[in-house]
């Protein structure tokens, strides 16, 4: 983008039929005339200037300027002799600058009439400010939007320190790395007076452990108005000290927007609620927050209502609820009406007690979060087709197992078993003993079945007695143990005894058998 500001022409006076002020002319100077003229126009109205009579059409839209930019006070300040209006062609130069940004001529006139501060500020100062904003990455369109909403960005002296921080703070290495959209939102949403001390607040983050190389990430993800500008240095320091008890830096880096929340009315009540739920275990609470920092976005009422529902409807204790939350913090994200109530009701109708429901949700927490129409309903149909009866404990256990696989994989698994000669009754029998067989990858199952039949010379029907065979790793356990034992135990060894003993026990028995074989050979 060409730097139009640097090459902005200086219009001649004669070209625009403008005359230098006549020193002999009595009456107020040009800027004061402008103020008096505007004040008289407002006085002629039967009400104070409002947004309805001070609008600027721009790019086909009617953008309403805030009333405070249109108000005129009766106090006439002494005008700086370097102001734009003190030069005959100053207003023309200002108009030309705004037109280059994208304003139409009549829009410029309305903007200047509603915001006298623009004409009372030296042109060089406004031009320099516009250059700095453009250097931050703001496009012509973004700059024009910003000027329309907050014309004071071109005149407020408090913005100088902010611009200096973003453009000339070489030691922090942030120049050009803050997203232009983030800067535009910051300038749009914040009164200039709140920019004072911005750099000190950013450096406070570094002081509390935020790595410098992660600073840009934090600034780009946080709401800078809420996280820094509207908070005092003391409040930011207290917030960082409080968060340090629950993961601190890790928590902030994972979700920088946690800095947006108010310490006393939001962070402390919400995190303290989780702390009480955990039995005041800070480490456990910190683990939950690191898993899902978004928990702090939920109101205290929301968190409390979920816990009370689980206590009253599911019969769970606070300790049991936290055990589930520790595994699946998104429990608080589930709708009580659409997800929690119908699914816990399903488990209760399947005959599960409160303790059973707790164990079930710890093992299969996704049962709460998955879509019913797009996921659970499909799986329920497959389970019923292979023989599971409704409202039975076995159906609940099978549903828990299939939450960890896709509908497509479940269909493929059932297809693999049928292709190897097993019936739906066989699949039902195996899955009741070992529900996990329904969640295994179908390609892995094929490899294990091929090895069982072709390499080990066994019948597929042996899986009915020991379906857990399909859960062991083929290369890491099945092949290794079979190759080591087939010479001593023969082809008809028990699959259960071969695979279910621990690695330590298997190693010990193998050494004893090896010694025995050596003794027999002597």
């Amino acid at each position: 983008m060409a730097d139009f500001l640097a090459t902005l022409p200086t219009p001649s006076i004669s070209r625009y039929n403008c005359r230098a002020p006549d020193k002999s002319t009595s009456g107020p100077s040009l800027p004061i005339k402008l103020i008096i003229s505007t004040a008289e126009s407002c006085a002629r109205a039967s009400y104070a200037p409002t947004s309805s009579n001070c609008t600027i059409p721009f790019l086909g839209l009617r953008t309403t300027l805030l009333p405070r930019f249109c108000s005129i006070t009766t106090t006439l300040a002494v005008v700086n002799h370097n102001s734009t209006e003190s030069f005959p062609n100053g207003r023309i130069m200002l108009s030309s600058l705004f037109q280059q940004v994208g304003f139409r001529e009549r829009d410029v006139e309305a903007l200047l009439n509603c915001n006298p501060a623009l004409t009372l500020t030296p042109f060089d100062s406004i031009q320099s400010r516009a250059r700095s904003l453009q250097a931050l990455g703001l496009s012509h369109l973004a700059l024009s939007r910003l000027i329309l909403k907050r014309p004071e960005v071109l005149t407020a002296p408090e913005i100088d320190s902010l611009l200096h921080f973003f453009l000339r703070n070489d030691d922090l290495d942030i120049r050009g790395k803050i997203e232009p959209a983030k800067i535009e939102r910051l300038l749009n949403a914040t009164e200039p007076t709140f920019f004072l001390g911005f750099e000190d607040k950013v450096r406070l983050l570094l002081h509390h452990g935020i790595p410098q190389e992660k600073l840009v990430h934090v600034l780009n993800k946080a709401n800078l108005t809420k996280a820094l500008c509207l908070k005092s240095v003391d409040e930011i320091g207290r917030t960082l000290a409080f968060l340090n008890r629950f993961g601190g830096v890790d928590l902030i880096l994972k979700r920088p927007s946690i800095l947006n929340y108010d310490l006393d009315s939001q962070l402390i009540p919400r995190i303290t609620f989780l702390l009480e739920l955990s039995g005041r275990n800070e480490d456990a609470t910190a683990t939950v927050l690191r898993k899902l920092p978004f928990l702090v976005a939920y109101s205290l009422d929301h968190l409390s209502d979920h816990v009370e529902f689980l206590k009253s409807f599911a019969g769970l204790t606070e300790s049991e609820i936290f055990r589930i939350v520790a595994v699946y913090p998104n429990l608080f994200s589930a709708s009580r009406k659409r997800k929690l109530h119908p699914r816990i009701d399903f488990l209760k109708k399947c005959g599960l007690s409160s303790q059973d429901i707790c164990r079930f949700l710890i093992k299969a927490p996704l049962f709460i979060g998955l879509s019913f129409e797009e996921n659970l309903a499909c799986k329920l149909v497959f389970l019923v087709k292979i023989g599971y009866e409704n409202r039975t404990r076995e159906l609940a256990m099978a549903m828990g197992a299939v939450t960890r696989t896709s509908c497509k994989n479940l269909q493929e698994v059932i297809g693999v078993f049928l292709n190897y000669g097993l019936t739906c009754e066989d699949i039902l029998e195996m899955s009741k003993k070992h529900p996990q067989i329904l969640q295994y990858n179908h390609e892995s199952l094929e490899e294990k079945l091929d090895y069982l039949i072709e390499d080990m010379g066994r019948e597929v029907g042996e899986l009915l007695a020991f379906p857990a065979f399909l859960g062991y790793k083929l290369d890491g356990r099945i092949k290794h143990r079979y190759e080591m034992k087939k010479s001593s135990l023969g082809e008809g060894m028990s699959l259960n005894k071969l695979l279910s003993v621990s690695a330590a026990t298997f190693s010990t028995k193998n050494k004893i058998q090896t010694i025995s074989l050596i003794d027999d050979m002597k």
Side-chain angles (χ1 to χ4, degrees), residues 246 271 274-275 278 281-290 322:
F246 305 97
I271 294 178
L274 296 174
L275 182 63
S278 72
N281 187 329
E282 289 194 1
D283 290 338
T285 304
T287 299
V288 168
L289 288 172
R290 279 194 293 267
F322 188 80

Side-chain angles (χ1 to χ4, degrees), residues 31-47:
I32 298 180
K33 283 184 178 179
L34 171 66
I35 295 174
I36 293 176
S37 174
T38 308
E40 288 175 346
S41 298
C42 292
R44 283 194 293 269
S46 59
Y47 53 90

Side-chain angles (χ1 to χ4, degrees), residues 165 197-205 233:
F165 173 75
F198 186 86
E199 180 174 351
D200 293 337
K201 296 172 183 179
V202 172
R203 292 189 180 277
L204 191 60
L205 298 178
V233 171

